[in-house]
Amino acid sequence: MQNRDMPLPVSGRWWRAGAIAIPYAWLLLFFLAPFLLVFKISVADPVVGQPPFTALFPGGGSGLVHISWDNYRFLFEDNLYPVSYLKSVQIAFVSTLLCLLLGYPLAYAIARARHPWRNVLLMLVILPFWTSFLLRVYAWMGVLSDHGLVNNLLLWLGVIERPLKILYTDLAVYLGILYSYLPFMVLPLYASLERLDPDLHDAAEDLGAGPLTVFRDITLPMSLPGIIAGSLLVFIPAIGEFVIPSLMGGLDSLMIGRTLYEEFFSNRDWPMSAAVATVLLLILVLPIMVFQRYQVRERAGVQ
Amino acid sequence: MNRRYPPFLIGVLAFAYAFLYVPIVLVIVYSFNDSRLVSVWGGFSLRWYRALLENEQVLRAAWLSLRVAIVSATVATVLGTLAGIALTRMGRYPGRFLFTGMLAAPLVMPEIITGLSLLLLFVTLQDLIGWPSGRGALTITLSHITFCMAFVAVVAQSRLAAMDAALEEAALDLGGTPFRVTLDITLPLIMPAMVSGWLLSFTLSLDDLVITSFVSGPGASTLPMLIYSKVKLGLTPDINALATLIIVMVSICVGVAGWLMYRRPVPQRV
């Protein structure tokens, strides 16, 4: 913290104001204002023209306000949207569970490794995350395709006689999300497991606890913050995922991100897309706020 | 401690790393495949790399992506570092809570929402003040700066939080103005974080598809947009070559960033 007993020199006041105001103004303009616009346009009617929606104040300064809730009404009447929202939540939930199932043992294995190895193993988890997301999805399409690695392996082992259809199904979407989001699960889990004092583990064992009891009563509760953070980091973006269902899912993998994208680019119905985005945002407000609180607490812990 | 490393965990590690790396290795191997079929090995060849270098569409998209990524990463690093300083070294000020929120939300916000909202902003701005006129490289860059700066702020902030402010306080006590102290003391100390923030932004920008699709205009196709439209039509062997080139380039960037981040430990106490 700044030494605040001392009055700031004049240049200090300017510097302080600038350092705060410049990034602040940028975020207000390019992050917060756009969300308000999304809401504004979601209560407009679509029109043919540029821009393709009606104005909020059609009378200019005369104070006339044009608000239409038709888009929201349509959103709940047409089956497509409720089904898409539910499907997104379901796919995001299952994928988060899969990430936890693979991520927890992995984070645990890394946290238990000896010191120089730990950083190497952790780096190896992060490395694929840095290489293009799109290309990682592409790589998995190859693995899961009819003549890909998985089918060839199963054929060779004699488990199946004809290639299984994996690509363009929900299973492929689960695997795609699991693969793409795994590092987001592993990093917070590792952070909380690494802090775990091995002496606690030893003490519990000395007192006669079996490995399962030690895990249930010590390791699991102490890694709970990591589980919550990791799950939110996977669950929130996965709900709005577009690329994975679009490239790996079947025609029935109607996740809301994909529905919105198609609504926007194929039907060019901007107000409807804005309404879809507003409802999606409302669904995500709670998990995002939980995530925010967690982040603030974590940072306070660091300081 | 004399506990052995449990064999079960070795199995977990082997499975997880195979899961992470086998698909990528396959893409790299098949990029040297002579066959037109993506799943049949037809001998070693560099033909897909040659085809790539002769494909003007790919080169133009790559050049646009590269320009956007360099500018976005640079501006995002400046803004993100300022934000990191504003959150860790400036005490309390009104609106700090909203600031923290606006910096954390882009990290998890579904890209589809960010993309749509930015497009609506650009269209509205153009309508009101005529800027930015049309959509293309400029609107893509502005959008990339916005989501990249949140990532830079996280990196800068964690470095600043782990760093003792005593050096800066001493410099202030010795009569340095806050601006000079930041310039001469704080910035050199967080330089590794800034470099890795830049590289992170660079790769994020180079990789972004969804937000870019929303805010780009006719004629401005970035590399991910081109890859997406090709992949949407099915697996093609030249994508393997392109993927390999990108993977190699990004791995070099990550290597440099990691080395810079961990080379010197943060001075904890003076």
Side-chain angles (χ1 to χ4, degrees):
Chain A
M1 285 296 132
Q2 194 83 252
N3 188 346
R4 287 196 285 125
D5 300 333
M6 199 172 56
L8 283 168
V10 176
S11 76
R13 231 175 293 145
W14 281 107
W15 158 236
R16 187 180 145 90
I20 297 170
I22 295 168
Y24 208 119
W26 184 285
L27 288 170
L28 282 179
L29 176 61
F30 290 109
F31 191 73
L32 195 63
F35 285 120
L36 303 177
L37 274 174
V38 170
F39 178 70
K40 191 206 103 174
I41 288 161
S42 74
V43 294
D45 284 323
V47 290
V48 180
Q50 193 55 261
F53 46 84
T54 53
L56 182 61
F57 303 106
S62 67
L64 195 68
V65 181
H66 176 89
I67 290 181
S68 148
W69 297 102
D70 285 356
N71 297 314
Y72 290 95
R73 211 168 295 134
F74 187 66
L75 201 105
F76 291 103
E77 276 166 8
D78 191 332
N79 221 3
L80 174 70
Y81 303 101
V83 167
S84 298
Y85 285 116
L86 282 179
K87 183 104 188 176
S88 301
V89 173
Q90 178 223 322
I91 287 186
F93 183 76
V94 174
S95 314
T96 308
L97 275 184
L98 288 175
C99 274
L100 199 57
L101 275 175
L102 180 59
Y104 200 98
L106 177 57
Y108 186 76
I110 297 174
R112 287 281 304 267
R114 275 177 218 293
H115 197 64
W117 279 102
R118 252 190 231 178
N119 286 344
V120 175
L121 290 172
L122 200 61
M123 197 66 196
L124 282 173
V125 172
I126 307 171
L127 197 66
F129 157 71
W130 286 73
T131 66
S132 165
F133 169 72
L134 188 58
L135 292 175
R136 272 177 294 145
V137 173
Y138 170 76
W140 265 92
M141 290 173 70
V143 170
L144 297 176
S145 71
D146 286 358
H147 304 285
L149 180 73
V150 170
N151 269 316
N152 282 346
L153 199 68
L154 291 175
L155 282 171
W156 182 71
L157 288 172
V159 182
I160 52 170
E161 282 171 1
R162 262 173 292 120
L164 289 176
K165 186 175 167 59
I166 308 173
L167 191 60
Y168 308 126
T169 65
D170 284 358
L171 180 62
V173 178
Y174 293 136
L175 285 171
I177 297 180
L178 168 64
Y179 184 66
S180 310
Y181 289 84
L182 190 63
F184 294 107
M185 182 62 90
V186 172
L187 289 180
L189 279 175
Y190 168 79
S192 62
L193 285 168
E194 193 228 358
R195 266 178 267 169
L196 210 70
D197 189 348
D199 288 348
L200 271 177
H201 188 278
D202 290 347
E205 271 185 345
D206 289 347
L207 292 170
L212 273 179
T213 317
V214 174
F215 179 76
R216 194 193 62 210
D217 291 348
I218 296 181
T219 314
L220 194 63
M222 295 199 61
S223 58
L224 203 60
I227 295 177
I228 294 171
S231 301
L232 289 170
L233 275 172
V234 175
F235 184 74
I236 302 171
I239 283 192
E241 184 53 56
F242 160 71
V243 178
I244 295 170
S246 162
L247 288 178
M248 300 180 82
L251 286 173
D252 60 335
S253 296
L254 277 174
M255 289 180 75
I256 196 65
R258 189 176 171 187
T259 309
L260 199 162
Y261 193 92
E262 272 153 23
E263 188 71 54
F264 188 82
F265 285 101
S266 308
N267 298 350
R268 299 205 51 81
D269 189 340
W270 291 25
M272 193 66 217
S273 318
V276 174
T278 308
V279 173
L280 177 56
L281 203 58
L282 286 177
I283 295 177
L284 293 178
V285 158
L286 191 70
I288 288 179
M289 278 171 69
V290 174
F291 171 74
Q292 209 101 290
R293 281 188 70 91
Y294 172 83
Q295 280 258 315
V296 171
R297 215 182 311 150
E298 268 297 278
R299 280 181 198 155
V302 170
Q303 281 166 344
Chain B
M1 266 192 299
N2 50 7
R3 266 180 285 117
R4 267 177 358 103
Y5 195 72
F8 165 69
L9 293 183
I10 296 179
V12 167
L13 289 175
F15 176 78
Y17 290 107
F19 178 75
L20 286 172
Y21 283 96
V22 166
I24 297 176
V25 170
L26 281 178
V27 165
I28 295 176
V29 169
Y30 274 99
S31 75
F32 299 106
N33 185 4
D34 195 36
S35 167
R36 186 155 259 298
L37 296 162
V38 265
S39 51
V40 181
W41 182 255
F44 179 87
S45 150
L46 291 173
R47 64 186 279 204
W48 303 117
Y49 289 91
R50 222 170 297 129
L52 213 59
L53 290 176
E54 284 161 8
N55 188 333
E56 199 161 309
Q57 207 187 3
V58 169
L59 292 179
R60 215 178 314 126
W63 176 230
L64 175 66
S65 283
L66 215 57
R67 272 181 311 169
V68 168
I70 289 172
V71 177
S72 311
T74 308
V75 181
T77 302
V78 173
L79 290 173
T81 307
L82 279 179
I85 291 173
L87 286 179
T88 50
R89 293 290 189 270
M90 298 287 187
R92 300 194 171 279
Y93 42 88
R96 192 177 186 277
F97 182 74
L98 179 66
F99 196 26
T100 331
M102 287 194 298
L103 279 169
L107 305 181
V108 287
M109 188 62 70
E111 287 194 291
I112 201 113
I113 299 184
T114 315
L116 177 67
S117 66
L118 280 165
L119 169 67
L120 296 179
L121 174 79
F122 292 136
V123 170
T124 309
L125 279 180
Q126 189 184 3
D127 218 29
L128 288 177
I129 57 172
W131 181 92
S133 63
R135 274 162 271 138
L138 175 67
T139 49
I140 299 174
T141 309
L142 289 171
S143 310
H144 286 195
I145 292 170
T146 309
F147 69 79
C148 287
M149 74 178 272
F151 285 90
V152 177
V154 169
V155 178
Q157 201 187 353
S158 62
R159 180 97 181 179
L160 282 161
M163 211 169 77
D164 196 332
L167 265 182
E168 289 146 282
E169 275 161 17
L172 281 173
D173 286 344
L174 292 171
T177 65
F179 180 65
R180 283 230 62 101
V181 170
T182 307
L183 212 61
D184 294 343
I185 312 274
T186 317
L187 285 188
L189 282 174
I190 61 166
M191 197 44 111
M194 288 172 71
V195 173
S196 60
W198 190 91
L199 289 165
L200 177 59
S201 303
F202 180 76
T203 56
L204 284 171
S205 166
L206 211 57
D207 191 27
D208 181 75
L209 167 69
V210 179
I211 296 176
T212 312
S213 304
F214 275 99
V215 298
S216 134
S221 266
T222 61
L223 205 50
M225 288 168 75
L226 192 75
I227 295 173
Y228 175 77
S229 58
K230 269 176 164 276
V231 172
K232 190 77 187 157
L233 298 175
L235 302 166
T236 56
D238 51 339
I239 296 290
N240 288 332
L242 189 56
T244 305
L245 288 178
I246 294 178
I247 289 168
V248 168
M249 200 172 87
V250 168
S251 304
I252 293 171
C253 281
V254 176
V256 172
W259 184 70
L260 282 169
M261 257 323 241
Y262 296 107
R263 188 178 44 148
R264 263 182 315 188
V266 185
Q268 292 288 334
R269 287 271 176 269
V270 182

Coordinates of all heavy atoms in Angstrom, one line a residue, chain A residues 219-246:
Chain A
T219 N -8.2 -34.3 3.1 CA -7.8 -33.8 1.8 C -9.0 -33.1 1.1 O -8.9 -32.0 0.7 CB -7.3 -34.9 0.9 OG1 -6.4 -35.7 1.6 CG2 -6.6 -34.4 -0.3
L220 N -10.1 -33.8 1.1 CA -11.3 -33.3 0.4 C -11.8 -31.9 0.9 O -11.9 -31.0 0.2 CB -12.4 -34.3 0.3 CG -13.5 -34.0 -0.6 CD1 -13.0 -34.0 -2.1 CD2 -14.6 -35.1 -0.5
P221 N -12.0 -31.9 2.3 CA -12.5 -30.6 2.8 C -11.5 -29.4 2.6 O -11.9 -28.3 2.3 CB -12.7 -30.8 4.3 CG -12.6 -32.3 4.5 CD -12.0 -32.9 3.3
M222 N -10.2 -29.7 2.7 CA -9.2 -28.7 2.5 C -9.1 -28.2 1.1 O -8.6 -27.1 0.8 CB -7.9 -29.1 3.2 CG -8.1 -29.2 4.7 SD -6.6 -29.2 5.6 CE -6.0 -27.6 5.4
S223 N -9.5 -29.1 0.1 CA -9.3 -28.6 -1.2 C -10.6 -28.1 -1.8 O -10.7 -27.8 -3.0 CB -8.8 -29.8 -2.1 OG -9.7 -30.9 -2.0
L224 N -11.6 -27.9 -0.9 CA -12.9 -27.4 -1.4 C -12.9 -26.1 -2.1 O -13.5 -26.0 -3.2 CB -13.9 -27.4 -0.2 CG -15.4 -27.5 -0.6 CD1 -15.7 -28.8 -1.3 CD2 -16.3 -27.3 0.6
P225 N -12.1 -25.1 -1.6 CA -12.0 -23.9 -2.4 C -11.5 -24.1 -3.8 O -12.1 -23.5 -4.8 CB -11.0 -23.0 -1.6 CG -10.9 -23.6 -0.3 CD -11.3 -25.0 -0.4
G226 N -10.6 -25.0 -4.0 CA -10.1 -25.3 -5.3 C -11.1 -26.0 -6.2 O -11.3 -25.7 -7.4
I227 N -11.9 -26.8 -5.6 CA -13.0 -27.5 -6.3 C -14.0 -26.5 -6.8 O -14.5 -26.5 -8.0 CB -13.7 -28.6 -5.4 CG1 -12.7 -29.7 -5.1 CG2 -14.9 -29.1 -6.1 CD1 -13.3 -30.7 -4.1
I228 N -14.4 -25.5 -5.9 CA -15.4 -24.5 -6.3 C -14.9 -23.6 -7.4 O -15.5 -23.5 -8.4 CB -15.8 -23.7 -5.1 CG1 -16.5 -24.6 -4.0 CG2 -16.7 -22.5 -5.5 CD1 -16.8 -23.9 -2.7
A229 N -13.6 -23.1 -7.2 CA -13.1 -22.2 -8.2 C -12.9 -22.9 -9.6 O -13.3 -22.4 -10.6 CB -11.7 -21.7 -7.8
G230 N -12.4 -24.1 -9.6 CA -12.2 -24.9 -10.8 C -13.5 -25.2 -11.5 O -13.6 -25.0 -12.7
S231 N -14.5 -25.6 -10.7 CA -15.8 -25.9 -11.3 C -16.4 -24.7 -12.0 O -17.0 -24.8 -13.1 CB -16.7 -26.5 -10.3 OG -16.1 -27.7 -9.7
L232 N -16.3 -23.5 -11.3 CA -16.9 -22.3 -11.9 C -16.1 -21.9 -13.1 O -16.7 -21.5 -14.1 CB -16.9 -21.2 -10.9 CG -17.9 -21.4 -9.7 CD1 -17.7 -20.3 -8.7 CD2 -19.3 -21.3 -10.3
L233 N -14.8 -22.1 -13.1 CA -14.0 -21.7 -14.3 C -14.3 -22.5 -15.5 O -14.1 -22.1 -16.6 CB -12.5 -21.8 -14.0 CG -11.9 -20.6 -13.3 CD1 -10.5 -20.9 -12.9 CD2 -11.9 -19.4 -14.2
V234 N -14.8 -23.8 -15.2 CA -15.2 -24.6 -16.4 C -16.7 -24.4 -16.7 O -17.0 -24.2 -17.9 CB -15.0 -26.1 -16.0 CG1 -15.5 -27.0 -17.1 CG2 -13.5 -26.4 -15.8
F235 N -17.5 -24.4 -15.7 CA -18.9 -24.3 -15.9 C -19.4 -23.1 -16.6 O -20.2 -23.1 -17.6 CB -19.7 -24.5 -14.5 CG -21.2 -24.6 -14.6 CD1 -21.8 -25.7 -15.1 CD2 -21.9 -23.5 -14.3 CE1 -23.1 -25.8 -15.2 CE2 -23.3 -23.6 -14.3 CZ -23.9 -24.7 -14.8
I236 N -19.0 -21.9 -16.1 CA -19.5 -20.6 -16.7 C -19.2 -20.5 -18.2 O -20.1 -20.3 -19.0 CB -18.9 -19.4 -15.9 CG1 -19.4 -19.5 -14.4 CG2 -19.5 -18.1 -16.5 CD1 -18.7 -18.5 -13.5
P237 N -17.9 -20.6 -18.6 CA -17.7 -20.4 -20.0 C -18.2 -21.6 -20.8 O -18.7 -21.4 -22.0 CB -16.1 -20.4 -20.2 CG -15.6 -20.5 -18.9 CD -16.6 -20.7 -17.9
A238 N -18.3 -22.8 -20.3 CA -18.8 -23.9 -21.0 C -20.3 -23.7 -21.4 O -20.7 -24.2 -22.5 CB -18.6 -25.2 -20.2
I239 N -21.1 -23.1 -20.6 CA -22.5 -22.8 -20.9 C -22.6 -22.1 -22.2 O -23.5 -22.3 -23.0 CB -23.2 -22.1 -19.7 CG1 -23.5 -23.0 -18.6 CG2 -24.5 -21.5 -20.2 CD1 -24.4 -22.5 -17.5
G240 N -21.8 -21.1 -22.4 CA -21.9 -20.3 -23.6 C -21.0 -20.8 -24.7 O -20.9 -20.1 -25.7
E241 N -20.5 -22.0 -24.6 CA -19.6 -22.5 -25.6 C -20.2 -22.6 -27.0 O -21.3 -23.0 -27.1 CB -19.1 -23.9 -25.1 CG -18.1 -24.5 -26.0 CD -16.9 -23.6 -26.3 OE1 -16.2 -23.2 -25.3 OE2 -16.6 -23.4 -27.4
F242 N -19.4 -22.1 -28.0 CA -20.0 -22.2 -29.3 C -19.1 -23.1 -30.2 O -19.7 -23.9 -31.0 CB -20.0 -20.7 -29.9 CG -20.1 -20.7 -31.4 CD1 -21.2 -21.1 -32.1 CD2 -18.9 -20.4 -32.2 CE1 -21.2 -21.2 -33.4 CE2 -19.0 -20.4 -33.5 CZ -20.1 -20.8 -34.2
V243 N -17.8 -22.9 -30.2 CA -17.0 -23.6 -31.2 C -17.1 -25.1 -31.0 O -17.3 -25.8 -32.0 CB -15.5 -23.2 -31.0 CG1 -14.6 -24.0 -31.9 CG2 -15.3 -21.7 -31.2
I244 N -17.1 -25.7 -29.8 CA -17.1 -27.1 -29.6 C -18.4 -27.7 -30.1 O -18.4 -28.7 -30.9 CB -16.7 -27.5 -28.1 CG1 -15.3 -27.1 -27.8 CG2 -16.9 -29.0 -27.9 CD1 -14.9 -27.1 -26.4
P245 N -19.6 -27.3 -29.6 CA -20.8 -27.9 -30.2 C -21.0 -27.7 -31.7 O -21.5 -28.5 -32.4 CB -21.9 -27.2 -29.4 CG -21.3 -26.0 -28.8 CD -19.9 -26.3 -28.6
S246 N -20.5 -26.6 -32.2 CA -20.6 -26.3 -33.6 C -19.7 -27.2 -34.5 O -20.2 -27.7 -35.5 CB -20.2 -24.8 -33.9 OG -20.0 -24.7 -35.3

